[in-house]
Amino acid sequence: MSRMLNLRGIKHNVLNAKQHQREAEIVAEAGHAGNVTIATNMAGRGTDIKINDLVKKAGGLAIVATERHDSRRVDRQLRGRAGRQGDLGSSQFYVSMEDNLMRLSNQNCRHYG
C-alpha cells in the first residue's frame, strides 16, 4: 500500500510495530485534514486519535481497510477508531475473493440451484 501511494506522490505515514518510537507523533498527525496513515492491526493500540475541527467538519476520521482479520474483535477495534468519544467517522472494508476469510466463508456456504 505504501509503495502504491509513493508512486502516486501521496504523502503518508506508516504505523507498525517497527515505528514504536514515533507512534505518538504518527497517531497525532492521523487526525489532521489531508493526512494518510497506513497501520497494521497491531499498531497504535491504546492510543486515541485526536481529530481537529477541520476533520470534524469534513465528517470525521475515515478508516479504509484492505482486508478482514480472522478475529472480529480486531476488525471492531479498527472500525471503532472512526468514531471515538462521540466523534463522527466512517469505515469501509474491501476484501478480495482470494482473501483467506472469503475462501473459508465460501467453503461453509451452501449453494441452492
Side-chain angles (χ1 to χ4, degrees):
M1 183 65 70
S2 180
R3 187 173 54 233
M4 289 171 43
L5 293 173
N6 280 332
L7 287 171
R8 287 163 180 79
I10 299 171
K11 183 182 171 232
H12 63 282
N13 286 308
V14 177
L15 180 61
N16 58 29
K18 296 176 187 173
Q19 298 287 351
H20 64 276
Q21 293 93 355
R22 288 194 57 232
E23 184 171 302
E25 177 186 339
I26 292 171
V27 170
E29 290 176 6
H32 296 147
N35 284 4
V36 174
T37 303
I38 300 170
T40 66
N41 63 354
M42 297 305 290
R45 300 178 94 183
T47 308
D48 284 333
I49 298 172
K50 306 274 191 252
I51 62 175
N52 63 23
D53 289 336
L54 188 58
V55 173
K56 288 178 183 177
K57 288 178 185 174
L61 189 65
I63 303 293
V64 178
T66 57
E67 64 183 319
R68 298 296 294 255
H69 195 275
D70 293 339
S71 166
R72 283 187 189 171
R73 180 184 58 81
V74 173
D75 285 342
R76 287 182 182 144
Q77 284 177 337
L78 177 60
R79 183 163 278 163
R81 293 295 218 167
R84 289 270 203 234
Q85 300 152 350
D87 289 330
L88 293 174
S90 63
S91 61
Q92 180 69 48
F93 284 78
Y94 293 93
V95 182
S96 167
M97 290 304 287
E98 286 103 25
D99 189 274
N100 190 40
L101 184 66
M102 293 304 292
R103 285 189 309 106
L104 293 172
S105 294
N106 286 336
Q107 288 174 359
N108 294 327
C109 288
R110 294 184 183 185
H111 298 279
Y112 296 98

